[in-house]
Amino acid sequence: MQVLHVASELHPFSKTGGLADMVAALGKALAHAGHEVQLVTPLYRGIRNRHPDIHPAKWRFDVPMGTSLVAGEFWRLKVTPQLTIWFVDQPEFFDRAGLYNENQIDYPDNGARFLFLSKAALLLARHLPRPPQIIHLHDWPTGPVPLLLQHARAEGVWPNPPKTVFTIHNLAYQGWFPPTDWALTNLPTEWFHPNTAEAWGQFNFLKAGLSLADALTTVSPRYAQEICTPEYGCGLEGLLRRREYELTGILNGVDYEEWRTTNNPALKHAYDADHLAGKNANKRDLQEELGLPVRADIPLFAQISRLTGQKGSDLVLEAWEEIFTAGLEQQFVLLGSGDPVLQNGFRDLAARYPESVAVRVGFDPGLAQRIEAAADFFLMPSRFEPCGLNQLYSLRYGTVPIVRATGGLDDSVVDVRENVERATGIKFHEPTAAALAQAIRKAFALYREPDLLAHFRHNGMTADFSWEKQAREYVELYEQALHGV
Ligand code: ADP
């Protein structure tokens, strides 16, 4: 099967979150299973320097954007005979310091930037010598693709176009743009209505994708159910309920070639489910690296995350106050960036408890690996979580996840109350600091029971969230989209 993915970020070239990991790993797994995979993504600043093996594809093109023509060029990386990455070069749009924003402020022309990406991807799809049968789209930046494609089909200019699959990685980010941006689509104004891309008078990119793609998916079965409710539907629950039968939840997998505790150049000490000495050594190293007292006898908690309300960062701050007040001895390491108020809150916590808390503000994939390998417990108190990847990485790294029972967290972590034999983590339900603090207290109890802790760790480390398995579900879905079964 020929599949073309379009995504606004792609590991290891560009990344702000799990989307980048997912698209890279799914593409790789599909190619590995023998499918012909093309990935289309922007050529952001710095990619060419860091990856000199990316070459011009000798393919320049012009895209109509309203009344102007905007020139672009494809660059290409042939990763394997089955897997090609196409980079869309348009320096005015993509040669910038950030992917979507700078200093927390979105670029004002994001509508134009990602419409350009969508149009370039369709141009590629139409003119490839072996055109794709499926175009797989990811999140709001690619929402215009099904819209543009349906219009081309309706006009008869693309009689038998590929089928489109649209994956929701996070419904909260919808790509809202002023209605004046519609002109950049070069589609007739009659096409701008509530059954396509219009929401409250605005041009909503995500809605365009969700209304017009042939099949919809999201990144966990539980989130697929949740987003059909007003609580989690972000205003699109009506549309999603109407399309409920075309919406499938498929849990993300892990690229175990990247996230591994043995033969991993990012980790100094290797370990596995039956040999945990290396994990203790990684803990000691991290304590040294971050200037914390080297202590094997107290639990090390960690969080690696965008600092936002979604991730429950505020709950973490409040819960630690309770834990400190109770005088429980522990260490906590945070790696993250985002909301400046939260950043300051964590910096302040570290300043007040320098013996217990280390905070690193920034985005550092190497440190993320070292933290996963060193920590005893990993906090994910998300208010909502489409899938979540860090809990999956934590499981493989023997780092017991403490999660709120929502979305993919609920689907991937087993609490002892659900199944004693298969328990892998600690779950709590209420999105409150008190509920999180109670879950953290359970972690202290678990830490005092080495045999039970070893049982949790062993279960987590041997659980299989490989992409090989998950990719088969996508292939089935592609088959259904193609053959209408
Ligand atoms: P989301 O996509 O909602 O941010 P996920 O858990 O699905 O959350 O994926 C987050 C990804 O980004 C993981 O690979 C995680 O390790 C990584 N990540 C998040 N914050 C940082 C950071 N500050 N430094 C390095 N990696 C980070």
Side-chain angles (χ1 to χ4, degrees):
M1 194 179 296
Q2 291 102 257
V3 186
L4 180 138
H5 288 261
V6 191
S8 56
E9 46 189 278
L10 182 68
H11 173 76
F13 309 99
S14 53
K15 171 167 167 176
T16 68
L19 164 68
D21 290 8
M22 184 278 194
V23 181
L26 173 59
K28 192 161 123 182
L30 288 170
H32 197 72
H35 302 285
E36 209 173 295
V37 182
Q38 325 268 336
L39 308 177
V40 188
T41 194
L43 188 68
Y44 294 110
R45 179 177 294 173
I47 293 181
R48 236 162 20 196
N49 287 345
R50 288 195 309 275
H51 301 272
D53 41 353
I54 301 172
H55 296 293
K58 302 200 176 79
W59 186 345
R60 291 170 189 272
F61 57 88
D62 289 313
V63 158
M65 298 281 289
T67 51
S68 13
L69 271 186
V70 179
E73 184 179 355
F74 288 117
W75 288 60
R76 185 171 44 183
L77 177 65
K78 210 155 173 60
V79 183
T80 66
Q82 295 297 112
L83 179 65
T84 304
I85 306 177
W86 298 86
F87 294 89
V88 177
D89 187 19
Q90 211 308 315
E92 275 176 42
F93 283 152
F94 301 126
D95 185 9
R96 299 187 185 182
L99 267 52
Y100 314 107
N101 53 48
E102 270 172 57
N103 305 320
Q104 307 286 317
I105 298 173
D106 283 343
Y107 293 124
D109 60 348
N110 274 347
R113 298 172 75 224
F114 293 105
L115 256 171
F116 183 84
L117 173 70
S118 299
K119 290 187 176 191
L122 278 175
L123 187 132
L124 184 89
R126 269 184 90 170
H127 297 289
L128 276 174
R130 276 166 65 79
Q133 297 159 288
I134 296 283
I135 302 185
H136 191 154
L137 304 154
H138 300 272
D139 269 356
W140 70 262
T142 62
V145 172
L147 171 75
L148 296 161
L149 190 139
Q150 294 291 3
H151 178 259
R153 180 160 70 181
E155 290 294 296
V157 292
W158 198 346
N160 202 1
K163 295 291 182 190
T164 50
V165 174
F166 191 95
T167 295
I168 304 163
H169 294 258
N170 194 331
L171 197 66
Y173 298 91
Q174 299 189 2
W176 291 90
F177 299 102
T180 43
D181 272 7
W182 182 259
L184 301 174
T185 64
N186 300 82
L187 300 184
T189 38
E190 309 87 82
W191 272 67
F192 184 56
H193 60 73
N195 288 341
T196 59
E198 193 250 4
W200 306 104
Q202 302 291 300
F203 183 3
N204 183 315
F205 276 26
L206 184 68
K207 186 172 178 187
L210 298 185
S211 303
L212 296 163
D214 295 303
L216 307 179
T217 80
T218 188
V219 287
S220 70
R222 179 73 199 275
Y223 192 60
Q225 291 170 355
E226 288 173 343
I227 56 179
C228 293
T229 67
E231 192 187 347
Y232 291 93
C234 301
L236 292 173
E237 61 276 8
L239 164 59
L240 289 166
R241 262 204 310 275
R242 279 198 299 284
R243 302 207 62 187
E244 211 169 343
Y245 296 106
E246 291 141 321
L247 168 65
T248 314
I250 302 176
L251 195 72
N252 280 341
V254 176
D255 183 345
Y256 287 128
E257 281 177 23
E258 300 253 336
W259 292 93
R260 53 193 299 156
T261 56
T262 53
N263 292 322
N264 182 342
L267 303 182
K268 215 154 125 203
H269 308 283
Y271 62 100
D272 63 30
D274 299 312
H275 309 89
L276 285 167
K279 184 164 179 69
N280 298 333
N282 286 314
K283 179 173 173 180
R284 191 188 56 227
D285 281 8
L286 187 79
Q287 288 167 329
E288 270 171 14
E289 177 183 347
L290 300 183
L292 291 169
V294 174
R295 302 260 318 251
D297 58 320
I298 55 174
L300 175 62
F301 293 82
Q303 190 181 26
I304 302 167
S305 160
R306 291 183 289 117
L307 301 179
T308 63
Q310 177 201 335
K311 299 289 180 185
S313 310
D314 52 322
L315 305 182
V316 175
L317 276 173
E318 228 184 298
W320 281 127
E321 295 296 349
E322 187 181 325
I323 298 296
F324 281 119
T325 308
L328 292 164
E329 262 203 307
Q330 46 72 31
Q331 290 174 340
F332 171 58
V333 170
L334 172 105
L335 169 63
S337 61
D339 183 341
V341 174
L342 292 166
Q343 278 178 197
N344 288 339
F346 281 107
R347 282 193 174 120
D348 176 61
L349 190 76
R352 284 189 293 130
Y353 301 102
E355 300 281 292
S356 304
V357 179
V359 169
R360 291 293 177 274
V361 171
F363 197 90
D364 186 343
L367 181 56
Q369 288 261 1
R370 296 195 292 283
I371 292 175
E372 282 285 8
D376 296 300
F377 298 99
F378 197 93
L379 303 180
M380 291 186 77
S382 305
R383 287 193 166 81
F384 66 95
E385 192 58 78
C387 175
L389 289 175
N390 274 312
Q391 84 281 13
L392 303 178
Y393 303 151
S394 298
L395 289 171
R396 179 49 61 106
Y397 280 52
T399 304
V400 176
I402 301 175
V403 303
R404 178 157 175 261
T406 185
L409 298 173
D410 201 22
D411 284 336
S412 57
V413 174
V414 182
D415 188 89
V416 76
R417 285 166 302 180
E418 292 171 306
N419 189 320
V420 180
E421 270 313 300
R422 292 180 36 242
T424 56
I426 298 169
K427 276 185 187 171
F428 64 98
H429 291 268
E430 291 303 312
T432 61
L436 171 60
Q438 199 187 2
I440 292 174
R441 284 169 187 272
K442 286 187 185 172
F444 278 97
L446 185 58
Y447 196 74
R448 285 193 296 269
E449 303 243 12
D451 288 347
L452 194 57
L453 178 61
H455 172 70
F456 273 59
R457 280 187 161 148
H458 197 272
N459 282 346
M461 293 181 83
T462 51
D464 179 11
F465 292 97
S466 63
W467 263 114
E468 288 64 38
K469 213 165 71 180
Q470 305 308 88
R472 280 199 291 275
E473 293 198 37
Y474 279 101
V475 172
E476 265 174 42
L477 190 105
Y478 298 157
E479 298 279 358
Q480 281 170 19
L482 280 177
H483 305 299
V485 280

